[in-house]
Amino acid sequence: QVEPVESGGGLVQAGGSLRLSCAASGRTFGVCAVGWFRQAPGKERRELVAAISSNGVMKHIADSVKGRFTISRDTNKNTVYLQMNSLKPEDTAVYYCYADQAPDLLSSTDDTWAFRGQGTQVTVSS
């Protein structure tokens, strides 16, 4: 069982930056692919923002955030980061960390992923 825990959300002005972290205990997290999804206010679906394979080689960044967001992982700390720069009000959402033991899973469908954290709120003011 993998239990991702997100941190780093908050309130920021447009143009600012935040770094989200997703951590989980145990060595199993280190062999998981990890994805960041977000759910904007009033939206039913969660959007894949970024995903990274277990070895960090394969990455996916959504077109809506390309050039502004990057994803990385630190295997020593068992943590995956989502660096968010040049934030816009439309980035406001609850951000969720997902994980799956399929090492190269970069699926944009959230129910494909096996494990999910509780989410962290990101609010970008204009």
Side-chain angles (χ1 to χ4, degrees):
Q1 187 74 8
V2 176
E3 296 182 3
V5 177
E6 305 94 339
S7 62
L11 173 64
V12 65
Q13 287 188 332
S17 298
L18 283 174
R19 188 177 76 163
L20 305 184
S21 300
C22 175
S25 59
R27 284 189 286 179
T28 303
F29 188 68
V31 299
C32 285
V34 174
W36 284 99
F37 284 77
R38 68 184 180 186
Q39 187 167 11
K43 296 286 183 69
E44 284 192 14
R45 290 186 65 246
R46 289 177 186 163
E47 171 195 14
L48 176 66
V49 175
I52 188 168
S53 61
S54 61
N55 62 7
V57 173
M58 294 172 59
K59 298 179 183 180
H60 169 80
I61 303 291
D63 288 342
S64 58
V65 303
K66 199 164 287 183
R68 301 187 296 121
F69 291 14
T70 58
I71 188 170
S72 61
R73 68 190 306 158
D74 185 333
T75 53
N76 291 328
K77 295 183 178 179
N78 241 12
T79 302
V80 172
Y81 302 101
L82 182 68
Q83 179 66 44
M84 307 186 296
N85 299 328
S86 301
L87 282 161
K88 304 176 181 180
E90 51 263 44
D91 295 317
T92 294
V94 178
Y95 284 71
Y96 296 91
C97 177
Y98 284 69
D100 195 283
Q101 292 180 3
D104 298 333
L105 183 70
L106 301 179
S107 172
S108 60
T109 304
D110 64 334
D111 59 10
T112 304
W113 298 73
F115 309 108
R116 192 202 79 191
Q118 293 300 308
T120 186
Q121 176 71 46
V122 171
T123 302
V124 184
S125 63
S126 57

